[in-house]
């Protein structure tokens, strides 16, 4: 698999505080990578290191296979755009003026792509309205447009929907999906709004105390969090035979417990089991959400 971003035992220390403590992660090309962690877990610190705003204390990170210790990393960073903490926009300028200013900063030869970018983020009709009069959602979309001015194929977004109203969240979600699907832009999203991430992410990295505790694909997470019926019986060998006959998907957990990934007719199941001397002791519905899975990984506490 080809990775846009890789880190290896990355560390960032501030005196006696370890913001990142041996963090290793992998962001596949073409992914929407949900970066999940509690307040102070190290999400924004990592993003600052990726963008070159700070230097790591130890370890390494690479963009497109180029190490941060290599002088060529500057060229790799030109292939990425980022919105870190708050959008980098000029509040006394219009949306169009903001994009033109960013084009000048990047040394672009003209403003040919400005209209297309304004249309892409839904700000083509803002006219002479200054950014200071924009809603929070509009400012966030303008910040993303500014990050796209260099035509990047890797976009880093730090809490892009934080503080937005439901309509603003939908607009940002649809924009991220469009950028990923239509422009094949790899996206790294730091967020604590786990339900919203589950509508976007193709891959996840869970961070706690400056370390990645687990990386997984959306498919793997769905399998972990999928709805099931958990049954406790006197003999799971008999249960397995009966479930095979009923053509139900299941997973044997131990000698007495199993998860059934369907809603079986409990009466039929009980009758079939009794014929072979097996009894049902308990039946419970089990549905682990992304948030409960996350808490089981890193423990409770407040989120950013």
């Amino acid at each position: 698999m080809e990775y846009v971003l890789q880190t290896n035992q990355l560390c960032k220390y501030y005196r006696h505080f370890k913001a990142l403590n041996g963090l290793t992660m992998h962001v596949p090309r073409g992914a929407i990578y949900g970066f999940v962690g509690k307040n102070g877990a190290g999400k924004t610190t990592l993003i600052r290191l990726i963008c070159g705003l700070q230097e790591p204390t130890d370890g390494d990170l690479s963009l497109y296979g180029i190490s941060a210790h290599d002088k060529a990393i500057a060229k790799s960073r030109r292939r990425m755009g980022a919105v870190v903490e708050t959008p980098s926009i000029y509040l006394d300028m219009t949306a169009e003026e903001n994009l033109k200013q960013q084009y000048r900063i990047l040394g672009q030869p003209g403003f040919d792509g400005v209209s297309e970018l304004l249309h892409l983020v839904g700000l083509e009709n803002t006219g002479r309205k200054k950014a200071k009069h924009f809603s929070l959602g509009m400012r966030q979309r303008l910040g993303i447009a500014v990050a796209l001015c260099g035509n990047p194929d890797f976009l880093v977004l730090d809490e892009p929907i934080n503080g937005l109203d439901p309509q603003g969240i939908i607009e940002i979600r649809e924009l991220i999906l469009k950028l990923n699907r239509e422009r094949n832009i790899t996206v790294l999203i730091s967020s604590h709004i786990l339900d919203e991430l589950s509508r976007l992410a193709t891959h996840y990295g869970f961070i706690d105390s400056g370390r990645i505790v687990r990386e997984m694909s959306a498919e793997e997470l769905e399998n972990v969090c999928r709805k099931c019926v958990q049954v406790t019986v006197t003999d799971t060998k008999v249960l397995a035979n009966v479930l095979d006959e009923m053509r139900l998907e299941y997973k044997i957990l131990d000698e007495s417990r199993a998860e059934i990934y369907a809603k079986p007719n409990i009466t039929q199941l009980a009758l079939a089991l009794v014929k072979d001397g097996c009894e049902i002791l308990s039946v419970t519905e089990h549905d682990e959400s992304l948030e409960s899975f996350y808490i089981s990984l890193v423990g409770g506490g407040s989120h950013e």
Side-chain angles (χ1 to χ4, degrees), residues 4 40 53-54 77 89 103-104 125 154 177 181-182 211 225 256 279-280:
V4 169
L53 299 175
Q54 293 179 351
R77 285 198 171 108
I89 58 177
Y103 268 52
R104 293 187 190 100
N125 295 320
F154 180 35
L177 288 171
R181 293 170 180 173
E182 297 180 9
R211 300 174 69 94
C225 297
S256 62
E279 295 182 20
I280 295 178

Side-chain angles (χ1 to χ4, degrees), residues 83 95 99 102-103 117-118 120-121 123 139-150 175:
V83 181
L99 296 191
Q102 184 65 10
Y103 268 52
L117 273 179
L118 289 172
L120 178 66
V121 300
L123 296 175
R139 290 185 191 184
Q140 195 66 265
R141 283 183 280 134
L142 178 56
I144 292 174
V146 169
L148 293 171
C149 282
L175 175 57

Side-chain angles (χ1 to χ4, degrees), residues 91-126:
L91 295 178
D92 283 323
M93 290 185 180
T94 66
E96 182 178 347
E97 288 168 346
N98 265 279
L99 296 191
K100 286 182 176 179
Q101 180 64 15
Q102 184 65 10
Y103 268 52
R104 293 187 190 100
I105 291 170
L106 295 174
Q108 302 277 42
F111 303 128
D112 292 345
V114 168
S115 295
E116 182 186 354
L117 273 179
L118 289 172
H119 179 75
L120 178 66
V121 300
L123 296 175
E124 68 273 24
N125 295 320
T126 52

Side-chain angles (χ1 to χ4, degrees), residues 24-301:
T24 298
M25 69 186 293
H26 312 80
V27 178
R29 178 186 280 274
I32 298 178
Y33 188 103
F35 191 38
V36 187
K38 294 186 290 187
N39 184 26
K43 301 193 301 295
T44 299
T45 300
L46 175 70
I47 289 174
R48 287 181 167 276
L49 296 185
I50 295 169
C51 296
L53 299 175
Q54 293 179 351
E55 293 294 323
T57 306
D58 199 2
D60 191 25
L61 72 86
S62 62
L63 285 167
Y64 303 98
I66 304 298
S67 168
H69 301 301
D70 193 318
K71 290 182 180 179
I73 190 67
K75 187 175 181 181
S76 287
R77 285 198 171 108
R78 284 200 290 270
R79 296 178 61 181
M80 63 179 286
V83 181
V84 184
E85 296 183 281
T86 56
S88 299
I89 58 177
Y90 297 96
L91 295 178
D92 283 323
M93 290 185 180
T94 66
E96 182 178 347
E97 288 168 346
N98 265 279
L99 296 191
K100 286 182 176 179
Q101 180 64 15
Q102 184 65 10
Y103 268 52
R104 293 187 190 100
I105 291 170
L106 295 174
Q108 302 277 42
F111 303 128
D112 292 345
V114 168
S115 295
E116 182 186 354
L117 273 179
L118 289 172
H119 179 75
L120 178 66
V121 300
L123 296 175
E124 68 273 24
N125 295 320
T126 52
R128 300 204 57 77
K129 186 176 183 179
K130 293 184 177 180
K132 64 184 177 184
H133 300 303
F134 284 6
S135 68
L136 193 58
M138 291 170 70
R139 290 185 191 184
Q140 195 66 265
R141 283 183 280 134
L142 178 56
I144 292 174
V146 169
L148 293 171
C149 282
N151 197 29
D153 47 19
F154 180 35
L155 186 61
V156 178
L157 303 176
D158 188 14
E159 299 280 1
I161 57 175
N162 200 21
L164 299 187
D165 60 23
Q167 182 59 35
I169 290 173
I170 291 170
E171 289 169 353
I172 294 297
R173 181 207 309 157
E174 291 178 347
L175 175 57
I176 292 169
L177 288 171
K178 181 187 290 187
L179 293 173
N180 178 254
R181 293 170 180 173
E182 297 180 9
R183 297 197 171 201
N184 199 31
I185 294 176
T186 303
V187 186
L188 171 66
I189 306 174
S190 157
S191 181
H192 68 280
I193 305 177
L194 304 181
D195 179 61
E196 187 58 35
L197 262 188
S198 68
R199 302 168 192 262
L200 284 168
T202 62
H203 294 76
Y204 294 88
F206 296 92
I207 182 175
D208 187 45
S209 301
R211 300 174 69 94
I212 292 289
V213 292
R214 188 161 178 183
E215 285 188 302
M216 60 202 310
S217 68
E219 184 178 358
E220 290 170 325
L221 183 61
E222 186 178 334
N223 287 333
V224 170
C225 297
R226 68 195 296 193
K227 292 183 179 180
C228 68
V229 174
Q230 193 171 103
V231 294
T232 304
V233 296
T234 54
D235 190 341
T236 50
K237 290 181 181 178
V238 174
L239 175 65
N241 291 332
V242 170
L243 293 176
D244 285 337
E245 290 176 5
M246 297 176 75
R247 296 183 178 180
L248 295 177
E249 186 183 352
Y250 64 91
K251 179 182 178 182
I252 302 297
L253 301 178
D254 52 41
E255 292 181 357
S256 62
R257 295 180 307 128
E259 291 179 345
I260 305 172
Y261 301 107
K263 283 195 173 182
N265 184 308
I266 300 300
T267 302
Q268 289 180 1
L269 180 61
L271 289 172
L273 290 172
V274 166
K275 289 179 183 178
D276 291 321
C278 178
E279 295 182 20
I280 295 178
L281 302 178
S282 68
V283 178
T284 55
E285 286 195 4
H286 183 70
D287 177 17
E288 184 166 45
S289 66
L290 171 56
E291 185 157 359
S292 62
F293 174 72
Y294 162 69
I295 290 171
S296 73
L297 277 179
V298 304

